Amino acid sequence: MGDTAAAAPAEQRRRAGRGKGRRTFWRYRWLYLFMIPGVLYYLIYHYIPMFGLVVAFQDYNLLKGITGSPWVGLDNFRTVFSSPDFPVLMKNTILLSVYRIVFNMLPDLILALMLNEIRVRWFKKWVQTLTYGPHFLSWIIVYGLVFAFFAPGSGLVTTFMRDMGWTPIDVLTNSSVFRPMLILTDIWKSTGYGAIIYLAALANINQELYEAAAIDGAGRWRQLWNITLPGIREVFVLLLILRLGHILDAGFEQVYIFLNVRVYDVGDILDTWIFRRGIEQMQFSVPAAVGVFKSLIGLVLVLGANKIAKKMGGSGIW
């Protein structure tokens, strides 16, 4: 009798829990409905294609498919790591990624801080429009602009410098300035859009903190150092962790469009090499092995950076 009496309340709690779950689901049914397209997108384009990773361990043949291609184990990885191009590719990829992290995140932050200090609304909107605009240009258009100004022998800037008797600047085929040119064009294109996230974080800072600081006699620089920067620190760390996860990407679209044979020694990266091997030479297994390698490195960096961020007092990304 005692066991039966104890089981009855437990069964009632389970029924009440199921009833509450159904009511909650029905209450937020439209939110779940709107969530379906996003879930399907990630399922179809991100999770199902992960089964294709098996290609990295096969001598993949397009006609035989995944099920008919022979298994070669780690041979594709050995091919990648033993390639004489691999050290150069890794060096170029890591350098460009580090340059992007170091020189791209700070302009985003500085622009957001400057826009946050502007009090004239029409001027602020004008600046935002000018800085956001380049983000919506494709890299083909950006390359066309750079080529129009700096093309060897025919660019506007090149022609002007030659007519003035100066030495023309070769930014497209000169190995010593190719990387800085990539970083500068990336800053010009992405800084305005990247500042949006910081502006959203700045908008969430409690304005009463600034009022209290002003009453205590703190100037704008002191408020910036003690209130503004700590208020957006978590966002900065979050973006840094996410960028570290893509450290072996290095911006394929931009590099591929600007790349030419004269700057292969400083501009050829893993993704452009993968493109040539996979698409142009129809060798799918070796590029797939590089993709697996990149994913593992990105996973390790994200996990490590997240752990370090938590140890330093941050919240990380989970």
Side-chain angles (χ1 to χ4, degrees):
M1 293 293 293
D3 294 340
T4 305
E11 180 64 25
Q12 292 176 358
R13 287 195 295 268
R14 284 195 292 270
R15 291 180 179 178
R18 288 194 294 267
K20 183 179 180 181
R22 287 192 292 267
R23 289 193 299 271
T24 302
F25 177 83
W26 183 253
R27 179 181 179 184
Y28 297 106
R29 61 190 183 280
W30 296 114
L31 295 180
Y32 292 122
L33 180 63
F34 292 141
M35 187 176 65
I36 290 176
V39 173
L40 290 177
Y41 167 79
Y42 279 97
L43 181 64
I44 296 173
Y45 294 103
H46 290 268
Y47 286 96
I48 294 179
M50 291 180 67
F51 292 102
L53 293 178
V54 71
V55 173
F57 304 93
Q58 294 179 325
D59 183 12
Y60 181 74
N61 186 293
L62 189 62
L63 298 178
K64 296 180 179 178
I66 293 179
T67 57
S69 299
W71 187 268
V72 296
L74 299 178
D75 287 353
N76 293 319
F77 294 90
R78 297 188 185 98
T79 300
V80 174
F81 298 144
S82 62
S83 171
D85 298 329
F86 184 73
V88 177
L89 296 172
M90 283 294 295
K91 177 184 176 182
N92 294 338
T93 301
I94 293 176
L95 281 178
L96 284 175
S97 296
V98 171
Y99 290 160
R100 291 177 189 276
I101 292 174
V102 173
F103 297 108
N104 281 29
M105 294 190 68
L106 290 180
D108 296 351
L109 176 60
I110 293 173
L111 178 61
L113 294 175
M114 293 173 62
L115 291 173
N116 190 59
E117 295 297 324
I118 297 177
R119 296 295 178 261
V120 183
R121 295 183 61 85
W122 67 266
F123 181 70
K124 183 176 182 178
K125 291 181 178 180
W126 181 72
V127 173
Q128 287 178 314
T129 302
L130 288 180
T131 54
Y132 293 172
H135 171 76
F136 300 99
L137 300 178
S138 69
W139 279 115
I140 290 291
I141 297 177
V142 175
Y143 175 79
L145 294 173
V146 175
F147 188 84
F149 282 98
F150 296 102
S154 60
L156 295 177
V157 176
T158 305
T159 304
F160 173 77
M161 297 183 70
R162 185 178 63 245
D163 294 341
M164 295 296 294
W166 302 334
T167 302
I169 301 176
D170 184 7
V171 302
L172 294 175
T173 59
N174 190 340
S175 298
S176 61
V177 297
F178 184 74
R179 288 173 183 160
M181 182 267 298
L182 291 179
I183 300 304
L184 289 175
T185 52
D186 190 36
I187 290 174
W188 175 77
K189 185 176 185 298
S190 61
T191 296
Y193 190 80
I196 294 177
I197 299 177
Y198 292 110
L199 286 173
L202 290 169
N204 289 327
I205 298 178
N206 190 350
Q207 296 300 313
E208 294 180 356
L209 297 175
Y210 292 104
E211 297 173 0
I215 294 175
D216 291 338
R220 297 302 301 176
W221 285 106
R222 181 61 63 180
Q223 294 177 27
L224 173 67
W225 185 259
N226 293 321
I227 300 177
T228 305
L229 293 180
I232 60 176
R233 181 183 60 184
E234 295 292 334
V235 175
F236 184 87
V237 173
L238 172 63
L239 295 177
L240 178 61
I241 294 174
L242 295 177
R243 284 179 179 248
L244 286 175
H246 295 277
I247 197 170
L248 293 184
D249 290 339
F252 164 75
E253 184 179 356
Q254 180 196 16
V255 176
Y256 181 75
I257 291 172
F258 280 86
L259 191 64
N260 57 79
V261 294
R262 295 189 178 183
V263 293
Y264 266 22
D265 57 329
V266 297
D268 198 18
I269 60 176
L270 286 172
D271 285 345
T272 53
W273 185 79
I274 288 173
F275 184 84
R276 291 196 301 272
R277 293 290 295 263
I279 304 300
E280 297 178 359
Q281 301 179 21
M282 301 295 289
Q283 299 178 8
F284 299 103
S285 295
V286 174
V290 177
V292 173
F293 168 72
K294 289 174 52 181
S295 300
L296 291 176
I297 296 298
L299 176 63
V300 171
L301 289 175
V302 168
L303 293 176
N306 186 72
K307 187 174 182 179
I308 294 174
K310 287 187 174 181
K311 286 187 174 181
M312 296 178 62
S315 59
I317 58 177
W318 66 80

